[in-house]
Amino acid sequence: MWQTMLLKSIEQGLVFGIMALGVYITFKILNFADLTVDGSFPLGAAVAASLIVGGHSPFTATLAAILAGALAGYITGILNTSAKISDLLAGILTMTSLYSINLRIMGRPNIPLLNQPTVFSMIQGAIENVFPGFPIRYLYLILFIIIVFVIKLLLDAFLKTQLGFALRATGDNPQMIRSQGVNTDFMKIIGLSLSNALISLSGALVAQYQGFADVGMGIGTIIAGLASVIIGDALFGEKSIFISTLSVLFGSFLYRFSISLVLSFRLAQASDLKLLTALVVIVALTAPRFKKTFKGFKISSEKG
Amino acid sequence: MLVLEHISKTFNPGTPNENQVFSDLSLKVEDGDFITVIGSNGAGKSTMLNAIAGVFPVDSGKIFLDGNDITNLPEYRRAAFIGRVFQDPMLGTSPSMTIEENLSLAFCRANNVSLRWGLDFNKRKTFKKYLSNIPLGLEKRLTTKVKLLSGGQRQALTLIMATMKKPRLLLLDEHTAALDPKTAMLVNDLTEKIIETNNITTIMVTHNLEHAIKMGNRLIMMHKGKIVMDIKGEEKATMTIPRLLNKFEQLQGEKFAEDRVMLA
């Protein structure tokens, strides 16, 4: 049972980790409190599930989910930069409208994918043909590790390009980067699109992994994403981009693991999940301060 | 090359906080000018620099740079021609990025940022060369995060970033005011050296009268949104602080009042 729990936590930590990387882009790099997340995550699931049920290839469906997420982020960006709506409100507006849009896309509140082809079932079929003895039990784990680390390394590389530098400086010191000739509005839109594309991809993969898309599956996504970012940050700090993104993924695993731990001890029931989520975030946010106080350090008041 | 024609700017018009900073301000800056700007509190010195840089649109009037009308160009587009150093050492650099990453941003200034690597061997070599011109040892700390640097080190870095790609115009807004005297002197020396070597047209706001007289080839005094004194050449070269204050009193019939002004 322990082994299964650990395996499931790692799998979930990885697949939701893609979403957490998206949250990392907006909250940590762009310094933009983006709440689009709770809408763009189920958007990815809705687009992917609807297209799969409609007979399209799961790969096309997943790609469409990525584009839909990017579009959602783009809209939040336009609301913020062109319409001058504050970052929080812009995200909430997109998130709220996405709830209706997701219902429209799905046509009903829930789409089961149990007897449908998914990205994973197709890869599983291909692998079974080539390597008959492949340990299918670890298929998801191996696939997720590959997918997530490719995304992580691509993101690391992006953040080291000129465009990535400009994105980081936009979150760090917008006045300075404008005086260096960078359009900060444009950078915000790029960051939000990229972030929500990842979040939507995560939603699409989660739907195919758990076997259904549900219109309510987005509630609390932002908290889970934040928890991952904050836990990772508290444990490893911001030494480099490589370490930061890695710690987000580790934070995502720790978050999933602690949730399933509490549930497995029957300390709580499944419906308490969102409450637990919030509690985990509160602990993650306050623990570093206590740690510093105990060590006799001055509590730093820098942003975080 | 830079011409301000009848610029006016009022902040918060129609509210109790309405503040007309200047109306009908005109200024012509020649190629190669190094202008020092002094003036009493609220004279509009910083507002003038911000109007030139495009931080906010002006209410009326026109701004020309090299004959091109830049009045409606957004701030980030003007950055192609204008380098800036601010008074606050925090404003000119990106704190959580390293020295070399900050320099890379300045190196790409005015070019469209692309998906090419922000740093490579050649750039690092160039950056080391630039940094070794200032006696702060920054060339050995390329991968240090800028938030770990002192105010003076940051201002020196900002100055290098603003001039790395030679700007048509350099705007310095009391860029040594927040520094201790020794570091201020170092940054001032660096400023003069960079401006002279590259022959950069510069407007420098300062509240240090000695610097204003000693540095540059032209001195402008602003008062209540107007340019009340504009001296250059021989007259500037022989100017002293008492004579400057005297001249101001003659012109305005009141005493020069700037609580932060430094007479020596």
Side-chain angles (χ1 to χ4, degrees):
Chain A
M1 178 212 140
W2 276 99
Q3 239 185 340
T4 311
M5 200 175 98
L6 191 63
L7 182 68
K8 287 283 162 210
S9 300
I10 298 176
E11 284 175 8
Q12 290 180 356
L14 286 166
V15 72
F16 283 97
I18 302 173
M19 177 274 292
L21 286 176
V23 173
Y24 168 79
I25 294 175
T26 46
F27 272 80
K28 270 288 172 194
I29 294 185
L30 213 48
N31 201 14
F32 187 108
D34 179 30
L35 297 188
T36 316
V37 183
D38 277 22
S40 56
F41 184 79
L43 172 68
V47 169
S50 307
L51 287 177
I52 289 173
V53 171
H56 293 271
S57 148
F59 292 98
T60 321
T62 307
L63 191 68
I66 296 175
L67 294 178
L71 182 65
Y74 176 81
I75 288 168
T76 302
I78 291 288
L79 287 179
N80 178 248
T81 57
S82 298
K84 309 283 179 210
I85 298 172
S86 76
D87 52 354
L88 271 175
L89 190 55
I92 291 172
L93 287 170
T94 314
M95 174 191 84
T96 308
S97 24
L98 278 173
Y99 188 84
S100 299
I101 293 169
N102 291 341
L103 269 173
R104 280 269 184 180
I105 293 172
M106 300 208 294
R108 53 196 149 135
N110 189 297
I111 297 181
L113 290 171
L114 289 175
N115 298 314
Q116 301 286 343
T118 66
V119 165
F120 308 116
S121 70
M122 289 181 79
I123 294 177
Q124 181 177 349
I127 287 179
E128 276 172 337
N129 276 336
V130 185
F131 310 105
F134 190 83
I136 287 304
R137 181 173 148 80
Y138 297 110
L139 176 81
Y140 281 110
L141 181 68
I142 293 165
L143 276 183
F144 285 161
I145 288 179
I146 294 170
I147 295 170
V148 171
F149 275 82
V150 165
I151 291 173
K152 175 216 168 336
L153 293 174
L154 282 176
L155 179 62
D156 290 353
F158 171 71
L159 291 174
K160 291 198 167 118
T161 63
Q162 293 173 4
L163 196 65
F165 281 3
L167 188 76
R168 287 159 63 196
T170 300
D172 215 21
N173 188 346
Q175 172 161 11
M176 167 264 177
I177 193 65
R178 266 196 299 274
S179 76
Q180 296 296 344
V182 170
N183 182 352
T184 46
D185 286 353
F186 179 66
M187 296 316 302
K188 272 191 195 172
I189 291 172
I190 289 197
L192 285 165
S193 303
L194 184 64
S195 160
N196 283 290
L198 287 179
I199 292 161
S200 211
L201 166 64
S202 178
L205 293 180
V206 166
Q208 296 174 65
Y209 168 65
Q210 67 187 14
F212 65 90
D214 189 278
V215 74
M217 70 193 277
I219 301 170
T221 309
I222 182 60
I223 300 294
L226 268 183
S228 312
V229 172
I230 293 162
I231 294 171
D233 197 40
L235 289 176
F236 301 101
E238 297 171 56
K239 290 180 187 72
S240 66
I241 298 281
F242 181 88
I243 302 283
S244 289
T245 50
L246 193 66
S247 64
V248 168
L249 295 176
F250 191 72
S252 174
F253 155 71
L254 266 190
Y255 167 77
R256 297 290 156 188
F257 187 69
S258 50
I259 295 278
S260 51
L261 204 63
V262 176
L263 289 179
S264 74
F265 282 132
R266 308 240 176 278
L267 292 174
Q269 54 191 45
S271 59
D272 297 334
L273 201 66
K274 302 297 178 200
L275 173 64
L276 286 175
T277 309
L279 287 177
V280 169
V281 174
I282 292 169
V283 170
L285 274 174
T286 46
R289 290 178 171 255
F290 286 121
K291 192 173 86 184
K292 280 179 185 167
T293 314
F294 286 138
K295 281 187 181 168
F297 287 134
K298 200 178 81 185
I299 295 174
S300 86
S301 57
E302 58 175 16
K303 67 162 182 163
Chain B
M1 41 107 37
L2 175 78
V3 180
L4 305 184
E5 264 179 15
H6 312 294
I7 299 291
S8 64
K9 179 69 196 177
T10 303
F11 287 109
N12 307 312
T15 71
N17 291 325
E18 183 174 290
N19 175 20
Q20 187 184 56
V21 185
F22 39 70
S23 62
D24 199 24
L25 176 80
S26 294
L27 174 69
K28 195 158 184 267
V29 181
E30 302 296 339
D31 227 343
D33 263 354
F34 179 0
I35 303 179
T36 57
V37 182
I38 52 174
S40 40
N41 289 332
K45 300 166 299 209
S46 295
T47 310
M48 182 176 77
L49 290 199
N50 284 334
I52 296 171
V55 176
F56 46 74
V58 291
D59 298 335
S60 63
K62 295 245 172 250
I63 305 173
F64 296 94
L65 188 68
D66 292 329
N68 301 315
D69 185 351
I70 61 166
T71 318
N72 295 317
L73 221 53
E75 184 184 2
Y76 73 89
R77 298 267 309 272
R78 296 191 204 187
F81 331 104
I82 298 176
R84 299 190 71 188
V85 185
F86 310 96
Q87 177 180 359
D88 184 350
M90 303 295 173
L91 288 183
T93 46
S94 180
S96 67
M97 296 172 75
T98 63
I99 292 179
E100 58 181 9
E101 286 168 345
N102 271 280
L103 287 169
S104 161
L105 290 168
F107 198 73
C108 306
R109 192 176 81 210
N111 291 340
N112 282 328
V113 284
S114 70
L115 282 175
R116 276 191 281 268
W117 295 118
L119 286 164
D120 57 38
F121 178 77
N122 284 330
K123 277 191 192 167
R124 287 198 172 96
K125 221 168 80 181
T126 315
F127 297 163
K128 271 192 187 145
K129 205 187 81 200
Y130 274 107
L131 290 176
S132 55
N133 287 334
I134 42 169
L136 289 171
L138 293 181
E139 68 276 10
K140 295 181 203 105
R141 300 175 64 189
L142 280 181
T143 54
T144 303
K145 286 192 176 170
V146 169
K147 65 178 161 201
L148 300 174
L149 301 184
S150 71
Q153 287 170 327
R154 284 194 198 191
Q155 282 308 68
L157 185 63
T158 311
L159 191 63
I160 287 178
M161 287 169 64
T163 54
M164 181 180 260
K165 238 180 146 174
K166 186 186 165 184
R168 289 295 288 129
L169 183 67
L170 178 64
L171 303 178
L172 307 172
D173 189 358
E174 301 197 33
H175 70 305
T176 59
L179 308 178
D180 64 82
K182 203 176 140 219
T183 321
M185 205 157 85
L186 191 143
V187 174
N188 258 332
D189 288 347
L190 181 68
T191 308
E192 279 193 305
K193 192 169 135 194
I194 289 177
I195 292 171
E196 268 169 38
T197 320
N198 301 295
N199 190 29
I200 301 171
T201 311
T202 304
I203 304 179
M204 177 175 102
V205 170
T206 178
H207 63 256
N208 186 317
L209 295 186
E210 198 196 343
H211 289 163
I213 291 172
K214 210 182 69 190
M215 295 168 80
N217 67 326
R218 185 173 164 194
L219 186 152
I220 283 175
M221 184 186 275
M222 293 181 74
H223 186 62
K224 292 184 178 161
K226 299 228 177 316
I227 294 174
V228 293
M229 196 191 298
D230 186 349
I231 58 173
K232 50 189 125 184
E234 184 72 12
E235 191 183 5
K236 162 133 190 331
T238 56
M239 186 51 79
T240 61
I241 292 172
R243 281 180 55 199
L244 193 67
L245 293 176
N246 250 333
K247 189 164 178 188
F248 175 80
E249 279 168 36
Q250 278 169 21
L251 282 168
Q252 294 300 312
E254 57 182 298
K255 281 210 180 291
F256 184 79
E258 222 267 63
D259 49 18
R260 290 180 310 147
V261 83
M262 289 169 72
L263 299 173

